[in-house]
Amino acid sequence: MTPTTRIPRTLLAVALIALLTAVTAQTITIASPGSTGAFVDPQRNNSISAMAVSEMIADTLLLYRDSTYLPALATSWSFDEASLTWTFALREGVTFHNGVPLTADAVVFSIERIKDPADPMPAAGYLAIVEEARATGPLTVEIVLNALNPDFLLTLFSTWIVEPSSAAEGATPVGTGPYMVTEYEPDQRIVLSRFDDYWGGAASIPEVIVRNIPDTGTLVLELEAGSVDLIQFTPPRDVVRLDNAGFNAMPFGAVNAARVALNNTTLEPDLRRAICWALDRDVLLETAYAGLGDPMFTVAKPGSWAHDPSVTGYYYDPERAKEILDAAGYVDTTGDGWRERGGQAMNLDLQSRGDGEWLLSSQIVQQFLEDVGIRSTITTSERTTYYDAVRTGRYDIGWFINNSLPEPPIFNTVFHSNEYWNVTQAPREDLDTLIDAGRGTADQAERIAAYSELQRILIDDAVECPILWVLQAHVANPRLQGVKVNAQGILHDVHTWTLGN
Amino acid sequence: MTAFIIRRLLYAGFVVFGVVTLVFFSLQLAPGDPISLLLPAEGGGAASLELAAQLRARYGLDLPLHQQYVRYLGRVLQGDLGTSIRTGRSVTAELQRLYPATLELTLAALAIAIVVGTASGVLASLNRNGPIDHLSMVFALLGVSLPNFLLGVLLMLVFSLQLGWLPPSGRVGGVGSWEAIRFLIMPAFTLGLAAAAIIARLVRSAMLDVLSEDYVRTAKAKGLRQHTVVLRHALRNALLPVVTVIGLQFGALLAGAVIAETIFSWPGIGRFLIVSITGKDFPAVQGAVMGIAVTFVLVNLLVDLLYAVIDPRVRFA
């Protein structure tokens, strides 16, 4: 080979590499932990990380951003309290990815598809309150409720609108979102390409790859290696480190409550109260959650309208815990450091998920219980088995985290007897009544009164121990700019994100 | 020979039936509710008991156990492995999609195990008690004692994070392309190292036995070159016990794939199985286990047949 032929080839190679770099630079990769990937059917996604995909491929009627409702597929809406009917005017000129224009019929179809008892979608529970959805014009929809819910608009956050003809048996329905699905490997990756006719303006980034990485260590490593641009639900121990290393950590959290769940049938009230006094929330926050969050004293968010400052809740007071235990007859008669009652040894069953901060939190709880003489044994299991144990009452104590909607700013629905995640094992009518009263009226004073009473009962009876308002975080490569995360942690408005150098 | 194969295939049918039945009932005994993964993530007010009941009915989980079992067996006999509760997709389709990835990974790991294991075993035997022998056996010791998950992470730290040579995880299609091989190298090596170590030790001891045989001495006395003696006379005979172990190792590799696929985010049956077990996704677990059982049985049959090819003394009565 002569030098003259070598130079053009070298130039060609350099040009090719430059071209490839330019092409890859137009693609971003978002990764999520866990083994189950998102569905490309937007209505099927039930986890916050998977809902980011739904947000990209479909739209909802409206958006809830910074405590305000903003128009999306609906441009205006009104409520008639007498007939419990919401009326939505839909946006004109919106088309689905298959070219079909948005109509009121598509909205009705989408709601009915979610509610279908033969194959209900995850949002069906939120729409249980919907009596009927009907099209009253080509671009007008009425949704009739069977009960009042002042936060109904918020519960529409996962009612993604899909095109009816695309949702035939076995087919994947299409939406109106800024990205279209071009490749789908279940539980592995989804490739999304820009939808040029998006009503909100074509996206700046032409292609988004959404990957699923089961191992959290690998997830973080991928971000550091530069092969992934954004990781969702970063392990708390890595969030601060990555932020210090120049990555962009985006904490979020609305009503994300970490609690010590207590079996109300196996633990009597005094023992439950003692447990709640024995736990140092600051240590749990710093050790297990890298300081991401705030101590939680009652079930309502401090400073919010639902919070009753007169209900002070539990804080770390081991001496008070010991006094309560002594008075209730839990004393160490054998001198082995563990308390007994009536000659009966006590060893509480502390159930825990075996992963990450769940297990660490359980171990810290165990240590604090030991400090006041309460013996416990930790049993770890994987997620589904753990949930089954606490749900069916095969436990005494369990570390539990639930995320709730940002409104109302009080963690309350899991105490309802009709709730799948109610793990107290002692359904109570008084709690049901207060929860129903809080969500069943638009009268703010009545709501405040109901939630105040609810907070008081939950604390007085130590139904469970509120521990932390947890902040979670997504972390992005700084080249990714304008990333938006809502209070629940759902990535949104991806079409407005941009790529820097 | 044909009768032997038919008989073995019939046995295989019984084995698979036994495995499916065992898995079905052991999964039912284990605690856990698959519906918990279908409800809105961990609470928030939308996970009502009514919705949970509707979902149970949708997947037939509200039926008595014996009815679920009979229904499942009936479907399997018609070639339908049911619908995954977690993904809502046909289990047969899922397995068809994932099987090639697992097969690719397992075969690559097996190839690494055979090549690396045989080579280091032969070299060790030819340099008995020498530095190469010691080095080879240290490698074997490391190979069997280093857990998959640790080796995988170490490789990732070095080759992805520090050197940036290989992608940390994932898989791209296109078997044989350089890009596909780059994704395959680390998971295959992680998976294959333990098997390579076992094969190395076995080849070493088998070679040492064979090298002291009269026919090898005769071959050397005839003036044949070293590599002819080693490869044609010694290794061929030394490989007989190795073939059996390779068959068994294939099963171990399939089991090991569960971990390697999880660490490296490799979209195969192993990872699918783990997700399905933790989610108590009964149809998916049964389908995946059945797929693995059938593979294991067929590979063992293949190994038995291979025996006859390698060793003419073996005949199937």
Side-chain angles (χ1 to χ4, degrees):
Chain A
M1 188 188 291
T2 62
T4 46
T5 57
R6 196 179 295 136
I7 290 168
R9 285 188 188 187
T10 311
L11 281 175
L12 193 68
V14 170
L16 197 66
I17 290 167
L19 185 70
L20 279 172
T21 313
V23 168
T24 44
Q26 295 301 303
T27 299
I28 60 162
T29 303
I30 298 172
S32 310
S35 301
T36 306
F39 295 106
V40 285
D41 180 342
Q43 294 186 337
R44 274 195 197 280
N45 287 319
N46 71 340
S47 72
I48 295 294
S49 55
M51 285 179 186
V53 172
S54 300
E55 278 289 310
M56 282 188 265
I57 56 186
D59 289 299
T60 48
L61 287 175
L62 35 80
L63 306 168
Y64 183 76
R65 307 281 182 253
D66 301 324
S67 307
T68 310
Y69 292 107
L70 302 173
L73 291 184
T75 50
S76 64
W77 48 89
S78 59
F79 183 58
D80 176 38
E81 193 165 337
S83 60
L84 293 179
T85 302
W86 280 98
T87 305
F88 296 87
L90 301 182
R91 190 178 291 275
E92 284 181 40
V94 176
T95 52
F96 288 97
H97 296 161
N98 58 0
V100 175
L102 170 75
T103 60
D105 288 334
V107 176
V108 172
F109 170 82
S110 299
I111 290 171
E112 286 173 351
R113 183 173 186 257
I114 289 171
K115 282 172 65 75
D116 181 3
D119 186 15
M121 302 288 159
Y126 289 121
L127 299 187
I129 196 173
V130 173
E131 185 69 34
E132 185 193 4
R134 58 189 178 224
T136 53
L139 289 174
T140 310
V141 179
E142 283 185 357
I143 297 178
V144 184
L145 308 184
N146 54 32
L148 187 65
N149 178 356
D151 300 311
F152 172 69
L153 292 181
L154 186 60
T155 65
L156 292 176
F157 80 97
S158 56
T159 298
W160 282 286
I161 307 305
V162 296
E163 200 277 307
S165 72
S166 68
E169 183 68 33
T172 301
V174 299
T176 54
Y179 287 91
M180 302 183 293
V181 179
T182 47
E183 212 180 306
Y184 176 45
E185 293 175 49
D187 296 337
Q188 183 68 11
R189 66 182 209 145
I190 300 171
V191 180
L192 302 157
S193 299
R194 176 167 59 198
F195 176 47
D196 290 327
D197 295 332
Y198 183 54
W199 59 268
S204 156
I205 299 166
E207 189 175 71
V208 178
I209 297 172
V210 180
R211 283 182 58 196
N212 195 234
I213 301 174
D215 185 82
T216 50
T218 312
L219 182 79
V220 173
L221 204 133
E222 290 262 14
L223 179 76
E224 291 181 287
S227 43
V228 158
D229 299 289
L230 187 154
I231 56 175
Q232 299 201 70
F233 291 94
T234 311
R237 63 181 181 277
D238 291 305
V239 173
V240 178
R241 182 179 64 80
L242 289 170
D243 198 45
N244 290 339
F247 290 94
N248 182 17
M250 296 162 287
F252 58 84
V255 185
N256 296 3
R259 311 108 59 203
V260 167
L262 302 170
N263 187 334
N264 283 216
T265 58
T266 61
L267 307 175
E268 56 131 0
D270 278 336
L271 183 52
R272 301 201 300 262
R273 287 184 197 108
I275 290 170
C276 293
W277 286 118
L279 305 172
D280 189 339
R281 285 142 185 84
D282 291 326
V283 170
L284 278 156
L285 179 62
E286 293 302 326
T287 312
Y289 289 89
L292 291 167
D294 290 297
M296 178 184 182
F297 300 106
T298 78
V299 292
K301 289 285 271 188
S304 72
W305 61 264
H307 185 240
D308 182 348
S310 70
V311 183
T312 49
Y314 296 96
Y315 46 89
Y316 182 47
D317 191 343
E319 292 312 313
R320 193 185 300 204
K322 288 176 190 169
E323 283 167 21
I324 293 172
L325 290 168
D326 288 340
Y330 294 96
V331 284
D332 177 16
T333 50
T334 56
D336 61 356
W338 301 114
R339 292 173 185 270
E340 302 92 35
R341 186 153 94 157
Q344 289 284 320
M346 176 170 59
N347 189 358
L348 304 184
D349 179 10
L350 205 171
Q351 291 280 337
S352 175
R353 264 170 64 165
D355 49 322
E357 52 278 8
W358 289 68
L359 178 58
L360 182 57
S361 304
S362 302
Q363 289 165 335
I364 297 169
V365 167
Q366 185 184 41
Q367 184 59 51
F368 281 121
L369 294 183
E370 186 180 330
D371 290 348
V372 296
I374 299 174
R375 186 179 213 159
S376 63
T377 302
I378 293 180
T379 307
T380 59
S381 41
E382 47 74 32
R383 192 168 68 153
T384 320
T385 308
Y386 166 73
Y387 288 156
D388 197 56
V390 291
R391 278 194 58 254
T392 54
R394 288 177 284 109
Y395 86 111
D396 292 316
I397 309 174
W399 183 257
F400 219 97
I401 303 180
N402 279 106
N403 295 356
S404 200
L405 296 178
E407 282 291 333
I410 176 169
F411 183 74
N412 70 104
T413 50
V414 298
F415 301 108
H416 200 286
S417 57
N418 189 36
E419 168 70 26
Y420 182 86
W421 297 110
N422 183 345
V423 297
T424 62
Q425 303 304 320
R428 292 173 51 159
E429 274 184 28
D430 56 343
L431 299 183
D432 289 358
T433 307
L434 290 169
I435 294 166
D436 289 340
R439 65 181 167 195
T441 175
D443 184 324
Q444 193 71 350
E446 281 180 33
R447 297 188 86 189
I448 289 171
Y451 289 143
S452 176
E453 181 64 4
L454 186 65
Q455 286 167 75
R456 194 189 58 72
I457 294 176
L458 289 171
I459 291 299
D460 285 354
D461 295 355
V463 174
E464 64 172 29
C465 308
I467 303 291
L468 303 173
W469 295 109
V470 175
L471 284 178
Q472 290 159 305
H474 303 325
V475 180
N477 189 307
R479 81 182 185 117
L480 197 56
Q481 289 159 9
V483 176
K484 294 195 177 83
V485 185
N486 74 8
Q488 289 166 273
I490 304 174
L491 295 167
H492 63 89
D493 290 335
V494 182
H495 66 290
T496 63
W497 300 6
T498 55
L499 267 175
N501 293 320
Chain B
M1 181 85 144
T2 314
F4 171 81
I5 294 173
I6 291 172
R7 201 167 60 240
R8 287 294 302 269
L9 285 175
L10 278 175
Y11 286 154
F14 282 115
V15 168
V16 171
F17 171 76
V19 166
V20 167
T21 305
L22 200 70
V23 169
F24 182 88
F25 287 104
S26 53
L27 269 176
Q28 300 291 338
L29 288 175
D33 182 7
I35 296 307
S36 65
L37 295 184
L38 299 178
L39 289 164
E42 296 156 24
S48 65
L49 295 176
E50 287 85 7
L51 178 58
Q54 284 176 356
L55 287 165
R56 262 194 206 96
R58 156 103 172 81
Y59 291 99
L61 299 170
D62 54 342
L63 296 172
L65 195 57
H66 67 277
Q67 276 187 35
Q68 288 187 46
Y69 179 64
V70 169
R71 206 161 96 155
Y72 179 70
L73 272 190
R75 280 212 201 109
V76 169
L77 288 174
Q78 293 169 40
D80 175 10
L81 297 178
T83 304
S84 161
I85 297 171
R86 186 177 59 86
T87 67
R89 291 185 291 267
S90 144
V91 173
T92 314
E94 293 279 28
L95 295 184
Q96 280 170 355
R97 181 175 65 79
L98 301 169
Y99 202 81
T102 295
L103 207 60
E104 181 188 340
L105 177 61
T106 313
L107 289 178
L110 194 64
I112 288 174
I114 292 171
V115 172
V116 175
T118 309
S120 62
V122 168
L123 285 174
S125 67
L126 295 177
N127 297 278
R128 190 178 188 182
N129 294 327
I132 295 180
D133 187 17
H134 292 311
L135 199 70
S136 171
M137 288 307 104
V138 167
F139 156 76
L141 188 69
L142 273 178
V144 287
S145 44
L146 207 59
N148 260 355
F149 60 87
L150 182 62
L151 177 65
V153 172
L154 287 176
L155 289 176
M156 248 190 258
L157 284 173
V158 174
F159 292 101
S160 301
L161 198 61
Q162 297 300 323
L163 300 172
W165 291 352
L166 297 169
S169 69
R171 174 182 185 253
V172 294
V175 178
S177 73
W178 172 235
E179 193 56 13
I181 290 171
R182 285 182 71 231
F183 277 90
L184 180 62
I185 291 173
M186 286 200 294
F189 189 75
T190 303
L191 186 58
L193 188 67
I198 291 167
I199 291 171
R201 289 191 72 92
L202 199 71
V203 167
R204 178 183 178 272
S205 63
M207 281 292 287
L208 288 176
D209 283 348
V210 171
L211 286 173
S212 61
E213 291 284 340
D214 289 343
Y215 64 86
V216 173
R217 198 178 307 120
T218 309
K220 284 180 184 167
K222 277 162 64 183
L224 292 179
R225 278 180 299 181
Q226 166 86 346
H227 76 267
T228 312
V229 175
V230 170
L231 296 180
R232 192 169 297 171
H233 294 270
L235 187 59
R236 180 161 181 182
N237 287 293
L239 277 182
L240 275 175
V242 177
V243 170
T244 313
V245 170
I246 287 173
L248 293 171
Q249 280 305 310
F250 191 82
L253 289 176
L254 279 175
V258 170
I259 294 167
E261 287 179 3
T262 303
I263 300 170
F264 290 101
S265 196
W266 190 264
I269 288 185
R271 188 180 148 191
F272 179 70
L273 187 60
I274 280 282
V275 184
S276 306
I277 290 172
T278 52
K280 293 271 289 175
D281 187 346
F282 307 117
V285 174
Q286 279 142 210
V289 169
M290 198 191 288
I292 291 172
V294 168
T295 308
F296 192 61
V297 165
L298 288 180
V299 167
N300 273 290
L301 175 62
L302 200 68
V303 166
D304 284 352
L305 296 176
L306 211 59
Y307 233 80
V309 177
I310 297 174
D311 187 352
R313 292 170 299 181
V314 177
R315 286 289 174 265
F316 300 103

